[in-house]
Structures are given as structure tokens and as C-alpha cells.
Amino acid sequence: MQKETFYEWSGSQIMRRTAIPSKRRVIGNEDFLIPTDLREWITSSDSQEIRLVIADLDFPTGKELGEFDQRARLVWQFVIEHVKYCPDEIAQRKLDFWQFPAETLALGKGDCEDCAFLLASLLLASGISPFCVRVVFGTLTQEDGSPVAHAWPIYKDENGGWRILESTLEKLPDEYEWPWADYLARLNSLPRYRPEMCLNRDHVWAIGPRRTQDVTVYLASRKRRMRSRTRC
């Protein structure tokens, strides 16, 4: 029987080489590809285009319990309602062409990466900590059992759990159906999300299995290590 895997959604190990060689092309010279740092796809919170969207959203004005979760859901709803999912081969006539968030806003359409980068940028501009926002790349096993490469945003809610904010939906899920990342990564889940790496504006991480250990086991092993050093 295959063992269930739980993932370190915030990232397990920092990845040093973060340039992507083949996701942008020079205007007027479509055969020339531009290497771009992966982190640049999440737009700065100072971006005027992003700030204009945030200014029009009816955010809670305080920092009471639950209000950051409300911010996340309002941003999520905006992307679902204003950006139509459209594969690159239709939107850009290219097999894989990434748009920056301002381009996705202007066009009103994009694929999974485009929508995920926009949603993450808006989450950060709404005042949510970068610690609580990631864009994840991995594999999505669809309801018919077929796997596809996919990208999706995640948000650490006020209870400390990572939530998947699928940015290509046609309708915002009810609050009680807001999906936990661990729940949708289960072996028997369909659709199933399996992460491989994640990023925010500061870092790119590989994602591996979560390391769990009983605190008494950890303290006992630490005590043994300290004793061995003392003997030396």
C-alpha cells in the first residue's frame, strides 16, 4: 500500500538558479527568447496597475481575526471574475508564453501561470505577508485521471494552514469548500495537486515531503548530540 505524502508547501530547499530561458520573446523578433528571473513574474506591490485593482476592492479596514482571509478571498474572486482562462496556443499562438500580471489584467485572459502570477501579486499588494503567499508549480491529476503540468497559488490562512486558490476556476467556491492544500494532495483526491517547486518575490524553493518528528524524540536526540560533544 502506497504511503500518503504530506508536503512542505512553504518550500523545502532554496533553489539558486532561477532564470527561465524560454518564456518570453522579443517583440518584432519572435524567434529571439529572453532569459528572465522566475521571481520577476510576481509583480511588485508598488506597481500602479496592481495598486489600481486593490484600490477598487472593498477590503476590511482593520486587522481583526479573519480579515486577512477576507482579503485573500476578495482578491481570488476578482481574478476569477475578470480573467478568463485561455491556453497559450489560443491567447498567444505560442505553446508556452508567460504574461506578466499587467498584461494579464489588460488582456483579461491567460493560462494557469498567468492567472497564478496575477493572483499572487494582488495578494501581496493587499497587505498579506510574503511569508503567506506562494506560486506552486507541479502536476495536476484531473478528474478523468490524466496528469497535466500546472501552476497554482497557495495562501497560508489565519489558522496556519496552506490553502489552494485555484486561479482558473469559473466560480469562487463557498467558504466552507475552500480547499486545504494537504487535502487536495492526497493519493485518492481527484483532482490531485502534487507540488514540485514554489516561489514568491524573494526566493524559489524545491518542495519535498514534510518532515514530522515528535518533540520528545527531537529533544532526546539533541541531548545525545550535546553529550557526545562534551566527551570530546
Side-chain angles (χ1 to χ4, degrees):
M1 183 176 180
Q2 191 174 357
K3 185 178 179 181
E4 195 74 69
T5 300
F6 297 96
Y7 296 99
E8 291 282 5
W9 290 97
S10 57
S12 306
Q13 181 179 2
I14 290 177
M15 303 176 73
R16 304 295 180 183
R17 301 178 65 178
T18 59
I20 302 297
S22 59
K23 303 303 179 184
R24 295 291 297 189
R25 301 171 187 272
V26 175
I27 296 174
N29 189 348
E30 297 296 313
D31 294 328
F32 192 85
L33 301 172
I34 310 171
T36 309
D37 191 310
L38 182 58
R39 296 167 294 181
E40 293 182 18
W41 299 95
I42 300 179
T43 300
S44 167
S45 299
D46 294 329
S47 163
Q48 185 67 22
E49 296 91 344
I50 296 295
R51 297 305 309 173
L52 287 172
V53 172
I54 295 299
D56 286 340
L57 295 180
D58 188 19
F59 286 132
T61 57
K63 295 183 179 179
E64 300 298 324
L65 181 64
E67 292 191 354
F68 282 102
D69 288 353
Q70 292 179 44
R71 289 170 182 260
R73 287 186 60 82
L74 284 169
V75 168
W76 189 15
Q77 182 174 9
F78 172 86
V79 173
I80 288 174
E81 292 181 350
H82 291 83
V83 181
K84 180 181 178 181
Y85 172 73
C86 188
D88 283 336
E89 54 266 32
I90 297 175
Q92 298 290 346
R93 298 181 182 178
K94 303 290 182 185
L95 288 179
D96 198 10
F97 182 97
W98 290 2
Q99 298 168 183
F100 287 107
E103 295 172 318
T104 303
L105 276 173
L107 291 170
K109 60 184 178 182
D111 69 355
C112 60
E113 293 96 354
D114 306 328
C115 296
F117 290 137
L118 173 59
L119 180 45
S121 300
L122 290 169
L123 289 169
L124 295 173
S126 76
I128 293 172
S129 167
F131 176 77
C132 298
V133 177
R134 302 283 190 275
V135 171
V136 179
F137 289 82
T139 302
L140 171 65
T141 302
Q142 302 176 101
E143 293 186 5
D144 62 2
S146 59
V148 294
H150 193 47
W152 62 91
I154 57 173
Y155 160 71
K156 178 171 275 193
D157 69 14
E158 294 185 50
N159 290 318
W162 286 103
R163 305 270 195 161
I164 290 178
L165 280 63
E166 177 55 68
S167 53
T168 65
L169 299 177
E170 295 182 354
K171 180 182 178 182
L172 184 73
D174 292 334
E175 191 166 357
Y176 64 87
E177 294 177 337
W178 194 0
W180 297 97
D182 280 339
Y183 182 82
L184 290 180
R186 296 173 307 157
L187 288 171
N188 61 348
S189 176
L190 284 178
R192 183 189 179 200
Y193 292 75
R194 287 178 291 172
E196 296 170 11
M197 71 179 206
C198 66
L199 71 143
N200 60 15
R201 277 195 57 82
D202 299 311
H203 297 292
V204 180
W205 296 267
I207 296 179
R210 187 182 308 156
R211 296 181 180 179
T212 58
Q213 188 177 53
D214 188 289
V215 66
T216 57
V217 175
Y218 170 78
L219 291 175
S221 64
R222 181 176 182 273
K223 193 173 183 179
R224 286 194 299 271
R225 291 196 302 271
M226 294 301 292
R227 283 176 178 172
S228 66
R229 291 174 184 172
T230 302
R231 294 192 196 101
C232 296

